[in-house]
Amino acid sequence: MTLAAWPTPMEAAPRLAEAIGLAPGDLWIKRDDLTGLGGGGNKVRKLEWLIADALRCGADTLVTTGGPQSNHARLTAAAGARTGLDVVLVMPGSGRPDRPAGNLLLDAALAARIVWAGDAAPAELAGQAEKTCAELRGEGAVPYLVPFGGSGALGARGYREAGEEILAQRPDVRHVVTALGSGGTMAGLVAALGADRVLGVDVGALPDPAAVAAAFASDVTGGEVMADRLRVRRDQAGQAYGVLHEPVLEAISTVARTEGVVLDPVYTGRAAAGLIAAVRDGDIRRGQRTVLLHTGGLPGLFGHAEAADRIGRTLRSSP
């Protein structure tokens, strides 16, 4: 199942490299925001494997979970539209806002149906998704439950392929920096590149993302990957998942003004903040070829009221 054009571009980022303390030739951005489908983003790689499995199972409806600004939910809706499958998104909240914005607006455009789960915690969302699948079966549908973030051993295969792409484009890569959310992206990269070359920046989506990523990577490789061998930074999660963290705002601004590349405030913004911190404390050093994985999420910027407000305040006006 192919849902995007591969490989995605690998772009040099010399001005950003110099701004954060690297040599101009040290830093590249892997543009997995340019996957095309439904506004682009890394979840497309996972969904290619998951949608193929859903079709093999004879499914007619995809069910998944996520927050109202979930990039995964938006891309699941887009993948369903592309392949002719209905999509039901299970989200926390009491109902549709008066003026949907960001990913939620795109979910509506892509004809997804939303089941609002009230104040459900992430673990409770999974239970609500199972309940929704049971209700759909009772109505005669054939649902396929797509895991949170598209992450699992099957979805992680998409990022093993991405790791192989990165090696083909930059054989001398020493560090690949990625946001670490539901674990599948980092797991696939570790399967392709090894644990020592992948730096995951925790975004606060899970209590112990390293353990989850290690389990997925073990399933993909067929060997045991130890969580304590993974390189994980937990200094960019801030107060909570989805809550803007000052270093992230600074990273978004730095990347935008040096390379004209826009990041989101939850995932790649945190990855860039982690990259900057890793250079500052010597974990990534000058002369080491480094790749920042841009996992997409631009629509979420427009749905994140605090980020939009704070970035908007910096707008310059002509005298």
Side-chain angles (χ1 to χ4, degrees), residues 20-247:
I20 67 175
L22 296 175
D26 288 346
L27 184 61
W28 296 71
I29 301 176
K30 176 65 169 168
R31 298 296 302 272
D32 267 18
D33 57 319
L34 301 180
T35 51
L37 180 74
N42 68 318
K43 305 300 183 182
V44 176
R45 291 190 186 270
K46 303 174 185 180
L47 285 164
E48 287 192 336
W49 289 84
L50 293 161
I51 300 299
D53 190 49
L55 294 173
R56 279 194 297 269
C57 294
D60 57 21
T61 306
L62 304 174
V63 178
T64 198
T65 62
Q69 290 304 323
S70 168
N71 300 307
H72 163 67
R74 181 243 310 164
L75 284 169
T76 301
R82 173 72 61 86
T83 55
L85 301 174
D86 291 334
V87 177
V88 179
L89 307 175
V90 180
M91 296 181 168
S94 57
R96 175 185 177 276
D98 292 336
R99 294 177 64 86
N103 280 310
L104 199 56
L105 178 61
L106 297 181
D107 295 337
L110 294 163
R113 179 164 71 88
I114 298 178
V115 172
W116 296 101
D119 296 328
E124 295 169 326
L125 276 184
Q128 181 61 58
E130 294 280 5
K131 179 182 177 182
T132 298
C133 286
E135 292 171 350
L136 288 166
R137 282 190 285 269
E139 297 167 3
V142 183
Y144 181 92
L145 183 58
V146 178
F148 170 62
S151 291
L154 183 59
R157 294 182 187 181
Y159 264 88
R160 179 173 61 182
E161 292 180 341
E164 292 166 354
E165 265 184 33
I166 290 170
L167 281 176
Q169 292 169 317
R170 296 257 55 94
D172 57 349
V173 64
R174 175 62 186 86
H175 307 281
V176 175
V177 182
T178 181
L180 172 55
S182 54
T185 297
M186 183 172 184
L189 292 173
V190 167
L193 301 167
D196 63 324
R197 285 199 278 193
V198 182
L199 175 61
V201 182
D202 180 16
V203 304
L206 297 175
D208 190 0
V212 174
F216 294 157
S218 297
D219 287 341
V220 174
T221 61
E224 187 174 14
V225 176
M226 304 298 293
D228 61 4
R229 296 293 303 276
L230 299 185
R231 297 171 61 199
V232 176
R233 293 192 74 101
R234 307 201 71 167
D235 57 343
Q236 301 304 324
Q239 293 181 352
Y241 176 77
V243 177
L244 190 62
H245 182 43
E246 188 63 34

Side-chain angles (χ1 to χ4, degrees), residues 29-33 261-264 268 292-297:
I29 301 176
K30 176 65 169 168
R31 298 296 302 272
D32 267 18
D33 57 319
V261 174
V262 182
L263 309 181
D264 79 293
T268 309
L292 173 65
L293 178 65
H294 191 332
T295 52

